[in-house]
Amino acid sequence: MSTALRLAIIFTALIGLCISPVAAVSDEPVIVDARFGDGTAGTYDNTTFVWKSGSHSISANITNQSNISGYALCAETKVPNGTSFELDCSQIRTNDTQTLTFEDWPTDADEQNVTLSVQKLFGNDSTVSTKTYRVEVLQRDADPDSDMLSNEREAEIGTDFLSSDSDSDGLSDGAEIKTYGTDPLSNDTDNDGLSDSSELSGQTNATIADTDGDGLDDGSEVNEYDTDPTDPDTDDDGLRDGVEVHEYDTDPTDPDTDGDGLSDSTEVDLGTWPTSVLDIGGIVFGVFLVTGMTALKGIGRVVDADSTAGWDNLIAGTGDGDQSTEDPGPSTTEITRGGTGESAPAMSMQPPEIETDEDRVLTLLREADGTLPQKQIAEQTDWSSSKVSRLLTRMDEEGEIKKITIGRENVIQIADEESAADDSERAQR
């Protein structure tokens, strides 16, 4: 504290004592905390950034303010070379928060330490309480981090004055503001699961969660479904990726999810289910049966025309139309070709058994002693990871298998033996 300032404060304090004496109190004032007000640009990582020019204020909360006479609150700043600059010093007058004010910061040196102190005005010039704060001084129009934003602009936005990429997304703060329109304080502006920089390099829109408007967020398309976030219909089957996932549970990367020869959109139009070959199989079998019967009737000479029960017996599988009650023998039904008497093998009327996707997964698990990484299931079935993920999720919900996460990999485990028996019974049905 300068001599002139000290004398002025002491003189004022003496007048105050004469007018309103204060009873002696044993405890001395202590600084609890302080706040930088006017002239403050922001606070980051326990460092307060202040403007070099303009008005400044620092306020301090002090305890034991009943014993305020004879004490002053002072502030000084010290630069790295040890030089100190007095900011302000004022007698503690009231029981309210004490505020110091001054114009223009005295130095723009880096890494300054501002010390607030409560000092005695009488007797020894002793300091009874101190608090120190780290300060960085900024010029308003400077750009110390070279991100194309002035310090004053960064203060308005809230970005870091000393880091060119405040959100660590690979894009400079200036580029996010001036070029891309993204948020420099969020590494995923549209909250779609992809960082802003990865979206820009991958041609998706970093400010729109669903770039292609197909009903799936860009992050889900890239990380979960393996679909193209810039193409609303990745497999070109006539159904949007989001519709396939959310409405029909079909594979958005495979135009024919169930491999029955009809595209997913065609099955939707026909009213059949695009994730199962069973419904279209019934239609195909019916068409085959009608076509076969029509062909046989067209060559009526195949069966003895004189036998009125020929066709009935043929359909019943009793042979060539003979009404004999003799045992026709084991399944050796024969029909004649062109009336020549030559025998033709009978048609089998039983459709082939069809292995479902669930059955195939359970078979793979049993062959692997009950446990298999999800990635290997996709490789062995040659299914897309999207289809495998949806199928296993459904099987997990139904209690057929268990999904276990180990690190970043999913391991699939077959359910207990009782569940496995239920699976086998379901497969036979």
Side-chain angles (χ1 to χ4, degrees):
M1 184 188 308
S2 66
T3 301
L5 180 60
R6 176 181 174 79
L7 290 174
I9 293 175
I10 291 175
F11 179 74
T12 303
L14 288 173
I15 294 176
L17 288 172
C18 293
I19 297 175
S20 179
V22 178
V25 179
S26 59
D27 292 337
E28 294 178 315
V30 175
I31 299 173
V32 177
D33 56 38
R35 183 182 66 84
F36 288 76
D38 295 339
T40 303
T43 301
Y44 305 97
D45 296 331
N46 297 318
T47 298
T48 299
F49 293 86
V50 298
W51 300 121
K52 175 68 172 66
S53 60
S55 300
H56 296 78
S57 66
I58 305 174
S59 299
N61 294 319
I62 301 174
T63 60
N64 299 323
Q65 293 188 19
S66 60
N67 184 21
I68 59 175
S69 296
Y71 293 93
L73 176 65
C74 300
E76 68 173 15
T77 185
K78 181 180 290 187
V79 298
N81 65 10
T83 304
S84 295
F85 299 86
E86 188 174 86
L87 301 176
D88 191 21
C89 198
S90 176
Q91 181 191 0
I92 300 175
R93 295 176 178 274
T94 68
N95 292 327
D96 297 326
T97 298
Q98 308 299 308
T99 301
L100 303 176
T101 60
F102 55 97
E103 293 293 323
D104 296 337
W105 205 269
T107 174
D108 58 1
D110 294 335
E111 299 182 3
Q112 300 182 35
N113 288 315
V114 172
T115 299
L116 296 178
S117 62
V118 174
Q119 300 181 7
K120 287 183 178 180
L121 296 176
F122 305 104
N124 294 329
D125 186 12
S126 62
T127 300
V128 299
S129 178
T130 62
K131 282 282 186 180
T132 301
Y133 301 89
R134 189 174 184 277
V135 168
E136 292 274 356
V137 181
L138 301 174
Q139 299 285 354
R140 294 178 183 271
D141 58 354
D143 181 14
D145 56 5
S146 302
D147 62 359
M148 300 184 295
L149 296 175
S150 68
N151 287 327
E152 190 165 32
R153 180 68 173 128
E154 297 218 52
E156 295 172 358
I157 300 169
T159 48
D160 192 332
F161 302 106
L162 304 180
S163 173
S164 61
D165 183 8
S166 297
D167 56 9
S168 302
D169 63 357
L171 304 173
S172 73
D173 297 338
E176 295 212 54
I177 293 294
K178 298 180 178 181
T179 305
Y180 305 117
T182 49
D183 184 353
L185 296 174
S186 172
N187 58 17
D188 181 8
T189 298
D190 54 11
N191 198 33
D192 64 356
L194 297 178
S195 69
D196 293 341
S197 58
S198 66
E199 293 215 57
L200 294 171
S201 62
Q203 303 306 311
T204 51
N205 192 324
T207 63
I208 299 177
D210 182 8
T211 297
D212 56 11
D214 62 358
L216 298 177
D217 287 349
D218 298 338
S220 297
E221 297 214 49
V222 172
N223 299 322
E224 184 174 357
Y225 300 112
D226 290 333
T227 48
D228 184 349
T230 63
D231 183 351
D233 182 9
T234 299
D235 55 9
D236 295 322
D237 64 354
L239 296 176
R240 286 177 173 266
D241 296 340
V243 172
E244 295 211 53
V245 170
H246 297 308
E247 293 188 29
Y248 299 111
D249 198 31
T250 50
D251 187 346
T253 65
D254 186 347
D256 181 10
T257 298
D258 54 12
D260 62 1
L262 297 178
S263 71
D264 295 339
S265 61
T266 299
E267 294 212 51
V268 169
D269 292 339
L270 290 174
T272 57
W273 196 242
T275 59
S276 173
V277 298
L278 297 178
D279 51 4
I280 192 61
I283 294 176
V284 171
F285 181 73
V287 171
F288 171 76
L289 179 60
V290 171
T291 302
M293 295 300 294
T294 302
L296 287 176
K297 287 183 179 180
I299 55 173
R301 298 184 184 87
V302 171
V303 182
D304 184 2
D306 294 333
S307 174
T308 58
W311 280 106
D312 294 333
N313 291 336
L314 176 61
I315 298 302
T318 59
D320 60 0
D322 188 357
Q323 300 183 49
S324 172
T325 59
E326 296 180 3
D327 183 4
S331 55
T332 56
T333 304
E334 297 179 352
I335 57 176
T336 58
R337 295 176 177 156
T340 63
E342 297 180 5
S343 297
M347 293 186 301
S348 174
M349 304 298 287
Q350 184 169 350
E353 293 186 3
I354 299 175
E355 183 182 44
T356 66
D357 293 341
E358 290 85 349
D359 294 335
R360 190 171 182 186
V361 169
L362 293 173
T363 298
L364 290 175
L365 288 171
R366 292 189 182 100
E367 292 174 350
D369 295 329
T371 303
L372 200 63
Q374 180 171 326
K375 183 167 61 176
Q376 289 190 24
I377 293 178
E379 293 173 352
Q380 294 186 38
T381 58
D382 199 27
W383 294 334
S384 69
S385 59
S386 173
K387 176 176 179 178
V388 171
S389 177
R390 289 182 290 108
L391 176 61
L392 294 178
T393 297
R394 186 167 63 247
M395 293 178 69
D396 185 30
E397 292 173 350
E398 295 175 354
E400 296 179 292
I401 54 97
K402 297 177 182 178
K403 296 178 70 174
I404 304 172
T405 300
I406 301 178
R408 300 183 63 183
E409 184 177 29
N410 286 334
V411 174
I412 309 305
Q413 186 178 72
I414 197 168
D416 55 37
E417 291 301 323
E418 182 177 351
S419 297
D422 293 341
D423 295 334
S424 177
E425 181 178 349
R426 178 193 56 75
Q428 293 176 3
R429 293 199 301 267

